C-alpha cells in the first residue's frame, strides 16, 4: 500500500527559500549558525550541445536545498499516541506521514513564527530542529533536504558511445526502480512502465522535466539492445518536479515502497549534498539501510561537482553512504580520463565509465547528447540488470564484485576510484559466478 503524502506542493517553496548547509549530528552549534555553501562554478566538462528540447535540468552541480517547514522526527518505538500528540502541539506541527518500517515521521510546521510555552519565538526551520532535539522523547530530528538538476554546457563535442555493445538478457526476472522526474507518458514504452507519482499522489508518474525520461530510455535501450527483454521490468518513482527539484520527503517513501514491491535494482541518477560526518541516523540513510537489508542493489551518481567523496566536508549522497549494496559511479571522457565534473574517491566511488555526450531521448522524442554522472549511473544500471538476468537467482553482491574486480586497470584512475579502472562489462559477466 502506498504511504499517504500531503503538503508536497510546498516543495517548490523550499527551493525559493535559498540554498544552505544542512544540519548534521553536532546539534545546536551547527544549526544556530547556518553557513552558506558556495556553489560550484559551471566549468564542468558537461554537454548540452545541440539540445533543442525544453530539458534544462541536468544534474551537473547539485545545490543544497532545505525545506522551510517540513522536517523529520524519530521517537522510541514504545512512545504512545498521547505523547506524540502533545509533542506535535508543542512544536506547532502536523504529521504528514509515518513509515513504520524505518521508524521515521515527517512533520510539517504549521506556521512560522510561533511562540512556544516558554514565551520564546521560533522563527525558522533551523530553530525548530534545535528545539525538537531538546525534547526528552525525541531521538533525532533532521532537516528535509532537497536537490535540483542544473543545466550545464561543455565545449567538448566528442562522441564515442556508439561503439558500446552489451548482450541479450537472460531468463531471470529483474525489476528496476528509477527515482527521478518521471517518464513521458506519450512514449511507446508506457505499457512496460509501472510506478507512482509522489508529488501528485497518483499512479501516473508523468515527466514534465525530461531528465527521468532520458535516464529511463537510456537504460531501456541498453537492456533491449540485442533482443527484447520483457523480463526486465521498469518501475518509475517520480520524486522530482518539473523544475528538477526533489526532497527527501518524497524520495524516502518512494524507496520504502519500491522495496516492499520487490525491486532488485534502484537507479539514483542524482545526488544530494550534505556534511560528510555521522550519517547513521540521517533520514535518507534509514531508507537506504532498509533497501540493503532486503537485498537491493543501489546504483548512484557520485556527483558532478568534482569533489573528493572520501575527504571533502560537503559530498554527494546517497552514493557516499558506506552501505555495501551501493554502487557509486563516476564519469569518464572518451579517453578514459575522469571527467572534469566527475566526483571521485578511492574508497567512496566504486566504478568509472563513459559519461560524456551520451545520446538520449527526452520529452516528445527529442534526441540530445548529455553528460554527467547521471548517465554513467544509467549505463551501469543497465549492465547490472543484464547481469542479474543471467543469474539463477539475483545476487547483487556478486554483480557489484564482478564489475569492480573485472574493470580494466587505467593509470589515470589510480586512487580516484575503487576499481582503479574502466568497467569491462564482458569480463564482468563472464566472471560473474567466480567473484568473492
Amino acid at each position: 500500500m502506498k504511504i499517504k503524502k500531503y503538503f508536497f506542493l510546498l516543495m517548490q517553496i523550499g527551493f525559493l527559500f535559498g540554498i544552505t548547509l544542512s544540519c548534521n549530528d553536532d546539534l545546536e552549534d551547527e544549526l544556530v549558525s547556518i553557513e552558506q555553501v558556495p556553489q560550484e562554478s559551471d566549468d564542468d566538462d558537461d554537454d548540452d550541445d545541440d539540445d533543442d528540447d525544453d530539458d534544462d535540468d541536468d544534474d551537473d552541480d547539485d545545490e543544497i536545498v532545505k525545506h522551510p517547514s517540513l522536517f523529520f522526527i524519530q521517537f522510541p518505538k514504545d512512545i504512545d499516541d498521547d505523547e506524540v500528540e502533545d509533542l506535535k502541539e508543542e512544536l506547532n506541527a502536523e504529521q504528514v506521514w509515518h513509515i513504520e518500517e524505518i521508524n521515521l515521521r515527517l512533520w510539517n510546521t504549521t506556521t512560522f513564527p510561533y511562540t512556544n510555552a516558554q514565551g520564546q519565538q521560533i522563527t525558522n526551520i533551523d530553530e525548530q530542529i534545535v528545539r525538537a532535539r531538546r525534547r526528552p522523547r525525541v531521538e533525532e530530528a533532521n532537516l528535509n533536504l532537497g536537490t535540483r538538476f542544473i543545466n550545464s554546457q561543455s565545449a567538448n563535442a566528442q562522441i564515442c558511445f556508439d561503439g558500446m555493445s552489451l548482450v541479450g538478457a537472460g531468463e531471470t526476472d529483474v525489476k528496476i526502480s528509477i527515482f527521478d522526474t518521471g517518464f513521458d507518458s506519450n512514449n511507446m514504452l508506457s505499457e512496460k512502465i509501472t510506478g507512482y507519482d509522489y508529488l501528485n499522489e497518483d499512479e501516473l508518474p508523468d515527466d514534465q522535466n525530461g531528465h527521468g525520461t532520458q535516464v529511463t530510455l537510456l537504460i531501456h535501450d541498453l537492456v533491449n539492445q540485442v533482443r527484447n527483454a520483457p523480463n526486465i521490468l521498469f518501475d518509475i518513482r517520480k520524486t522530482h518536479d518539473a523544475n528538477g527539484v526533489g526532497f527527501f520527503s518524497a524520495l524516502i517513501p518512494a524507496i520504502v515502497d519500491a522495496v516492499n514491491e520487490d525491486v532488485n535494482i534502484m537507479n539514483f541518477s542524482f545526488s544530494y549534498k550534505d556534511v560528510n560526518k555521522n550519517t547513521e541516523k540521517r533520514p535518507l540513510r534509514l531508507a537506504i539501510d532498509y533497501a540493503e537489508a532486503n537485498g537491493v542493489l543501489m546504483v548512484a551518481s557520485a556527483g558532478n561537482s568534482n569533489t573528493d567523496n572520501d575527504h571533502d566536508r560537503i559530498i554527494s549522497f546517497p552514493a557516499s553512504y558506506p552501505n555495501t549494496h551501493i554502487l557509486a559511479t563516476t564519469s569518464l571522457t572518451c579517453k578514459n580520463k575522469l571527467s572534469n565534473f566527475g566526483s571521485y574517491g578511492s574508497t567512496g566511488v566504486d566504478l568509472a565509465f563513459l559519461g560524456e555526450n551520451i545520446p538520449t531521448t527526452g520529452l516528445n522524442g527529442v534526441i540530445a547528447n548529455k553528460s554527467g554522472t547521471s548517465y554513467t549511473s544509467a549505463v551501469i544500471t543497465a549492465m547490472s540488470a543484464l547481469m542479474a538476468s543471467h543469474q539463477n537467482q539475483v545476487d547483487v553482491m556478486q554483480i557489484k564484485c564482478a564489475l569492480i574486480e573485472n574493470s580494466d586497470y587505467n593509470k589515470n584512475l589510480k586512487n580516484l576510484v575503487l576499481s582503479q579502472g574502466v568497467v569491462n562489462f564482458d569480463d564482468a559477466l563472464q566472471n560473474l559466478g567466480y567473484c568473492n
Side-chain angles (χ1 to χ4, degrees), residues 412-424:
N412 295 321
L413 300 175
K414 185 179 181 181
N415 299 324
L416 293 179
V417 292
L418 180 64
S419 65
Q420 299 196 62
V422 183
V423 171
N424 184 323

Side-chain angles (χ1 to χ4, degrees), residues 353-370:
F353 197 73
L354 180 67
E356 295 193 17
N357 299 308
I358 307 298
T360 67
T361 304
L363 299 181
N364 302 313
V366 174
I367 297 174
N369 298 322
K370 294 288 184 175

Side-chain angles (χ1 to χ4, degrees), residues 23-27 133 140 142 277-279 281-282:
C23 67
N24 61 19
D25 294 327
D26 287 336
L27 298 181
R133 286 180 167 182
E140 185 58 279
N142 282 285
K277 185 178 181 181
N278 300 335
T279 66
K281 294 183 179 180
R282 304 283 175 84

Side-chain angles (χ1 to χ4, degrees), residues 90 114-122 131:
E90 186 178 348
Y114 71 91
T115 302
N116 65 17
Q118 292 74 40
Q120 300 169 317
Q121 191 174 65
I122 310 302
R131 184 163 182 250

Side-chain angles (χ1 to χ4, degrees), residues 285 288-289 292 298 318 320-327 400:
R285 174 73 185 276
I288 295 296
D289 288 348
E292 178 168 279
M298 292 161 278
S320 296
Y321 289 134
N323 299 71
T324 58
H325 280 213
I326 289 177
L327 259 179
K400 177 177 179 177

